[in-house]
């Protein structure tokens, strides 16, 4: 009996660990699916229809984050988008008060709707409520990138609330008009700098790997191919991939290619450390007590 208990103990321990991981994974999924990047804000659990205007408009600027001209232009662009594509995009700004779930009935939100909520009280300005049909064109990663790019505190501090809202709306509308986007269009400066750095590092690895290792050898192609997965991933996946997927401009590609070539050239021209040949064992100078004639 004692032996059987000892044998069962590891199984029970494994089962306990498995249940703990399942519970942790379930909590992570609940947090993931309930993230404000694609779900309604907690404030929308309230219901205050009296805060909404009597006339239905596509933009409700309770937070006064847009000026009158911007609000009118945004109203017209959202109306045109719905007429041409059938997709419903609505904008709500709020600071201290919120109409809550009353916006669903006010705008008739459905599976073909997107609600952008700009709330200055959160760490990120932008929140989204996305219909199920919209995810077929714009995946969840799109909304996460959109929120992190235009709703972060640094962008809002430099560009302002209005530019953040208008840039996010323009990205959503443009992707809905072109029948979907895998990533947010446009290449921010900081993201391009990151792709340039990875291209330079990839070129440096390529140049170091190609150092000649034999007399008369100009370039060690064998070693360059051995390290191809590393420099190829840095240059092609992280240096070229984000550029071609977000913009059709050639200039960032040319700059990254030049960075790769420059990094490879500098690394190749750096002299390799000299190799020291070992002393010949048994030579007259190394024999103890003997002096070479």
């Amino acid at each position: 009996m004692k032996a059987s208990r000892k044998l069962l103990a590891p199984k029970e321990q494994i089962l306990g660990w498995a249940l703990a991981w399942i519970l942790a994974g379930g909590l992570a999924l609940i947090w993931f699916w309930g993230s404000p990047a694609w779900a309604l804000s907690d404030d929308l659990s309230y219901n205050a229809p009296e805060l909404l205007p009597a006339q239905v408009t596509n933009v409700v600027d309770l937070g006064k984050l847009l000026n009158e001209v911007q609000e009118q232009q945004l109203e017209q662009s959202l109306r045109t988008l719905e007429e041409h594509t059938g997709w419903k995009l609505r904008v709500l700004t709020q600071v201290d008060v919120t109409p809550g779930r009353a916006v669903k009935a006010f705008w008739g939100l459905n599976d073909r709707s997107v609600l952008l909520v700009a709330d200055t009280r959160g760490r990120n300005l932008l929140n989204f409520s996305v219909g199920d049909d919209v995810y077929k064109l714009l995946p969840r990663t799109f909304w996460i990138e959109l929120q992190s790019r235009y709703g972060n505190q640094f962008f809002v501090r430099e560009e302002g609330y209005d530019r953040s809202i208008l840039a996010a709306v323009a990205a959503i509308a443009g992707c809905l008009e072109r029948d979907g986007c895998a990533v947010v269009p446009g290449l921010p400066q900081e993201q391009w700098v990151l792709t340039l750095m990875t291209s330079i590092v990839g070129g440096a690895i390529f140049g170091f790997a190609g150092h000649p290792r034999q007399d008369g050898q100009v370039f060690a192609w064998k070693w360059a191919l051995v390290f191809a997965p590393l420099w190829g991933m840095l240059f092609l996946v992280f240096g070229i991939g984000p550029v071609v997927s977000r913009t059709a401009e050639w200039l960032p590609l040319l700059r990254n290619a030049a960075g790769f070539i420059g990094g490879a050239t500098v690394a190749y021209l750096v002299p390799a450390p000299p190799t020291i040949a070992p002393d010949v064992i048994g030579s007259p100078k190394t024999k103890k007590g003997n002096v070479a004639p």
Side-chain angles (χ1 to χ4, degrees):
M1 294 295 294
K2 293 182 179 180
S4 62
R5 288 181 181 178
K6 290 182 180 179
L7 292 175
L8 290 176
K11 295 182 178 179
E12 294 176 354
Q13 186 177 6
I14 294 174
L15 181 60
W17 279 105
L19 292 176
W21 278 106
I22 293 173
L23 179 60
L27 294 175
L29 285 176
I30 293 173
W31 176 86
F32 181 82
W33 289 99
S35 175
W38 48 81
L40 285 173
S41 172
D42 294 337
D43 291 334
L44 297 183
S45 61
Y46 299 100
N47 189 16
E50 66 275 5
L51 297 176
L52 298 172
Q55 184 180 0
V56 178
T57 59
N58 296 327
V59 181
V60 177
D61 188 17
L62 298 179
K64 302 301 179 184
L65 305 182
L66 303 170
N67 58 46
E68 186 176 354
V69 176
Q70 291 173 332
E71 186 174 353
Q72 292 177 356
Q73 293 177 348
L74 187 58
E75 176 76 24
Q76 181 60 38
S77 64
L78 297 183
R79 186 182 301 112
T80 303
L81 174 67
E82 187 173 2
E83 292 174 355
H84 290 172
T85 64
W87 297 104
K88 185 182 295 184
L89 178 57
R90 301 294 183 262
V91 176
L92 169 67
T93 70
Q94 56 190 29
V95 178
D96 297 324
V97 292
T98 175
R101 62 178 181 269
V103 297
K104 293 183 178 180
F106 179 75
W107 277 316
L109 300 178
N110 51 35
D111 291 340
R112 294 180 60 86
S113 304
V114 176
L115 172 60
L116 185 153
V117 180
D119 194 334
T120 59
R121 294 171 296 177
R123 290 178 295 178
N124 194 292
L125 176 67
L126 303 177
N127 299 296
F128 306 98
S129 175
V130 184
D132 293 337
D133 292 345
V134 182
Y135 284 125
K136 300 176 182 178
L137 301 181
L138 308 176
R140 299 183 186 276
T141 53
F142 173 90
W143 302 102
I144 297 174
E145 182 180 356
L146 184 67
Q147 185 189 45
S148 60
R149 180 184 299 186
Y150 295 123
N152 67 82
Q153 297 179 359
F154 300 101
F155 185 89
V156 173
R157 187 183 302 116
E158 294 179 1
E159 303 294 338
Y161 295 117
D162 54 347
R163 291 290 301 277
S164 176
I165 297 171
L166 296 176
V169 170
I172 299 171
C175 288
L176 291 177
E177 290 176 348
R178 68 179 71 172
D179 295 332
C181 295
V183 295
V184 179
L187 187 66
Q189 181 71 18
E190 60 274 8
Q191 191 171 14
W192 171 75
V193 171
L194 181 61
T195 62
L196 178 62
M197 292 175 59
T198 57
S199 299
I200 294 175
V201 174
I205 295 175
F206 177 77
F208 276 121
H211 266 294
R213 290 167 174 80
Q214 298 176 1
D215 294 339
Q217 188 180 37
V218 179
F219 192 84
W221 288 105
K222 179 187 293 186
W223 285 100
L225 293 176
V226 168
F227 285 92
L230 182 57
W231 60 259
M233 180 182 63
L234 289 172
F235 178 54
L236 298 177
V237 178
F238 297 109
I240 300 299
V243 178
V244 298
S245 62
R246 288 168 172 80
T247 182
E249 298 180 2
W250 286 94
L251 186 58
L253 286 176
L254 294 177
R255 289 175 175 173
N256 287 5
F260 178 84
I261 296 173
T265 303
V266 172
Y268 177 78
L269 294 178
V270 171
T275 57
I276 302 175
D279 293 336
V280 180
I281 300 176
S283 62
K285 291 185 178 180
T286 58
K287 290 182 179 179
K288 200 170 184 181
N290 295 334
V291 180

